[in-house]
Amino acid sequence: MKKYNKLFTVFALAILASMFSGCVGKVDSNEVGFKTQWGKIDDTLLKPGLHFVNPIGGELVTYDIRMVKSELKSPTYTKDMQLADMQLTITYAVDRSRVTEIHSNYGRKEWAKTIVYPIVVSATKDIIGQWEADKLINGRQQAEADINRMIKERLADKPVSFNELVIEDVGFSDAFESAIEAKQIATQEAIKAKNKTLQIEEESRQDVIRAEAKDKAT
């Protein structure tokens, strides 16, 4: 009899433990959470810690609120119709105060692709489209600043916190890069030739001055 009582006790404790674990959820320190009941969202945001959840139809939903870093490729045409392969890095996070809005309208897995990515790509195309390709090479920092400004303006009313876009690289066709290199070499040669001409003119002027000075002395 004692053996059966012991088995019954263990079995009862296992059931209670299972029921209890189904009633408790955890929100980590880097998360914000909320409860749903049969899919309906409770707008009350939960702080880190353990929280009781109704095991019948209830769920604890959590969102990571840390900054996310993503890499994007955005083929973009410049003002003079050169194709620029933009290699971008962006950092962003959910707006912790509006996670229930994100969950309702965009979903936990797709919110970044739905909200952030399209605006980043469109802003990049709009700004790069104002630059001529050869000027973009040296003006990348200004273009980057303009893209960041436009992204933040367009995301101002969205439930996300955008931090930064960085242009990691701008790639052009081999033919265009060769043309740019040739142009730079020609420019450098022209500067050298001009400097040489100025040097010769200055030497000639100094010769004239010396000759005139010698004549006066004589």
Side-chain angles (χ1 to χ4, degrees):
M1 182 64 70
K2 289 182 179 180
K3 182 179 179 181
Y4 288 113
N5 287 339
K6 187 176 181 179
L7 288 173
F8 177 79
T9 302
V10 171
F11 183 69
L13 289 173
I15 293 176
L16 288 173
S18 176
M19 292 178 61
F20 182 77
S21 64
C23 297
V24 176
K26 181 184 178 184
V27 178
D28 289 332
S29 59
N30 58 298
E31 295 177 329
V32 65
F34 55 88
K35 298 177 185 179
T36 65
Q37 187 67 35
W38 301 115
K40 183 179 179 180
I41 296 174
D42 182 344
D43 291 329
T44 303
L45 299 181
L46 304 175
K47 296 180 179 179
L50 297 177
H51 299 274
F52 286 96
V53 181
N54 188 338
I56 304 176
E59 182 184 4
L60 176 62
V61 180
T62 60
Y63 275 75
D64 194 321
I65 56 176
R66 291 174 294 186
M67 281 288 170
V68 179
K69 185 180 235 183
S70 298
E71 295 180 355
L72 287 178
K73 293 182 179 181
S74 178
T76 304
Y77 281 97
T78 60
K79 185 177 181 180
D80 50 347
M81 298 306 293
Q82 292 292 334
L83 181 61
D85 288 323
M86 309 294 295
Q87 306 287 332
L88 311 172
T89 298
I90 55 175
T91 49
Y92 55 93
V94 297
D95 181 341
R96 62 181 302 160
S97 66
R98 299 172 68 182
V99 291
T100 56
E101 179 183 340
I102 290 177
H103 196 72
S104 296
N105 299 329
Y106 306 103
R108 181 159 37 182
K109 295 181 179 180
E110 299 297 324
W111 67 270
K113 292 180 181 179
T114 305
I115 305 173
V116 182
Y117 290 11
I119 287 178
V120 168
V121 170
S122 66
T124 300
K125 290 181 181 297
D126 288 346
I127 296 298
I128 298 303
Q130 299 172 15
W131 285 78
E132 293 179 356
D134 58 341
K135 294 179 181 177
L136 177 62
I137 294 173
N138 293 324
R140 197 165 87 177
Q141 285 188 329
Q142 183 59 53
E144 183 178 277
D146 292 342
I147 295 171
N148 272 285
R149 174 186 50 77
M150 184 173 285
I151 291 172
K152 290 175 180 179
E153 288 175 355
R154 293 180 178 181
L155 286 175
D157 62 341
K158 304 296 183 183
V160 299
S161 176
F162 186 81
N163 182 43
E164 183 184 33
L165 171 142
V166 176
I167 299 176
E168 301 291 353
D169 188 38
V170 182
F172 294 101
S173 68
D174 292 341
F176 178 77
E177 291 184 351
S178 296
I180 290 294
E181 184 178 357
K183 182 179 179 181
Q184 290 174 341
I185 292 173
T187 301
Q188 291 170 357
E189 292 298 328
I191 292 172
K192 288 180 182 179
K194 182 178 180 181
N195 290 337
K196 185 64 176 177
T197 300
L198 292 173
Q199 181 184 351
I200 294 171
E201 289 176 351
E202 179 60 23
E203 289 173 352
S204 298
R205 191 174 71 86
Q206 291 298 327
D207 288 342
V208 170
I209 292 173
R210 283 193 292 269
E212 290 177 349
K214 186 176 179 180
D215 289 341
K216 288 180 180 180
T218 302

